[in-house]
Amino acid sequence: LGKSFKMMPVMVWGMAISGKSYTLADWIVAAAVTGGVTEFLLTGTIAAKHQHGTSIHGLILLLVFLGLDGFTSTFQEKLFKEHKTSKYNQMLYVNSFSGLVSFITLAATNKIGVAFGFCGSHPRFVADAFFLSASSVGGQWFIYSQVKEFGALVFAATMNLRQVISILLSYVTYHHPISGLQIVGLALVFMGLFYKSYAGIMAERPKKGREEKETTSLLPKDPEMQPPAKVA
């Protein structure tokens, strides 16, 4: 659920990279979501049953992730707008570079033989990795599509909703205890995201009305509908 903090980093990166400005309502929504997540984390246990580090160590790693993840989606949006790249370009180059980094890492640690040996010893792993990669590509297509069409902030809000739903399903499936204050935190998250969606829908209505009006005014008039000319 800590990933739901990403709205604030995305907004900060948007101002730093693209010179964006956000309305007071945007900041209130981000604060509501962030506050709700904070309350959820602070009023319940966040430690895993089987862990090798401390919660502080995990939170530090989470902060680093949020900073880098916020930069990623914001810079993707910048590439779409300023350089007119397609989502397929970004998918190809990003995944190719990721594969190159993985190969260099294996080579630097002398693990290439071990990796291929593991694949040879476990053929089922290759099939599972293939299907996992295919699923990842499908997910990337939707991610890039949303970033391109709606922007990084909307994508961050969508991921927030996904995280909240995942947490709720986890609580129901594994029967984790949930406190009243945690429910209040979740309510703040949902209210903030609902308002964001509602405001976006209401903002689109005047635009659609103007577009329909302009389209109607540009349509050629049917000669048969014209009034008959007066005979002198």
Side-chain angles (χ1 to χ4, degrees):
L1 186 63
K3 292 181 180 179
S4 297
F5 280 106
K6 69 183 299 179
M7 287 186 73
M8 287 286 190
V10 166
M11 295 172 75
V12 173
W13 279 118
M15 293 187 297
I17 295 176
S18 303
K20 287 186 174 183
S21 60
Y22 296 96
T23 64
L24 178 61
D26 290 329
W27 287 107
I28 292 176
V29 169
V33 174
T34 303
V37 173
T38 302
E39 182 173 355
F40 187 92
L41 293 175
L42 294 180
T43 55
T45 177
I46 59 175
K49 293 182 179 179
H50 307 286
Q51 60 180 4
H52 301 286
T54 63
S55 296
I56 298 299
H57 179 252
L59 291 174
I60 292 174
L61 293 177
L62 179 62
L63 290 176
V64 175
F65 161 79
L66 290 173
L68 296 177
D69 191 55
F71 171 80
T72 299
S73 57
T74 304
F75 202 75
Q76 287 171 350
E77 182 182 1
K78 180 181 177 68
L79 291 176
F80 281 131
K81 290 184 177 180
E82 296 187 4
H83 299 281
K84 308 301 180 183
T85 61
S86 70
K87 50 195 167 190
Y88 304 106
N89 291 139
Q90 293 201 36
M91 289 174 65
L92 173 63
Y93 295 129
V94 169
N95 290 324
S96 298
F97 189 75
S98 298
L100 179 62
V101 170
S102 299
F103 180 81
I104 293 175
T105 303
L106 287 174
T109 55
N110 295 321
K111 297 293 185 180
I112 294 180
V114 176
F116 282 102
F118 181 85
C119 293
S121 302
H122 303 83
R124 178 62 185 272
F125 168 78
V126 178
D128 291 340
F130 173 81
F131 286 114
L132 182 62
S133 299
S135 300
S136 177
V137 170
Q140 280 187 349
W141 188 88
F142 285 103
I143 289 173
Y144 281 109
S145 297
Q146 190 171 43
V147 171
K148 182 178 182 180
E149 299 295 333
F150 302 101
L153 185 58
V154 174
F155 169 67
T158 303
M159 296 303 292
N160 285 343
L161 181 60
R162 183 185 73 85
Q163 292 296 333
V164 171
I165 293 176
S166 297
I167 289 295
L168 291 177
L169 290 176
S170 175
Y171 269 74
V172 172
T173 302
Y174 298 104
H175 307 288
H176 295 307
I178 185 170
S179 65
L181 290 177
Q182 285 182 308
I183 294 176
V184 174
L186 290 175
L188 283 174
V189 173
F190 276 113
M191 285 191 296
L193 295 177
F194 175 78
Y195 175 79
K196 179 68 176 176
S197 301
Y198 175 78
I201 293 173
M202 296 304 294
E204 287 295 325
R205 286 186 176 181
K207 295 180 181 179
K208 290 183 179 180
R210 288 195 299 268
E211 290 175 357
E212 291 177 357
K213 187 175 181 180
E214 292 174 359
T215 303
T216 303
S217 63
L218 292 175
L219 288 175
K221 295 182 179 180
D222 190 348
E224 296 181 359
M225 300 298 294
Q226 296 290 335
K230 293 182 179 180
V231 179

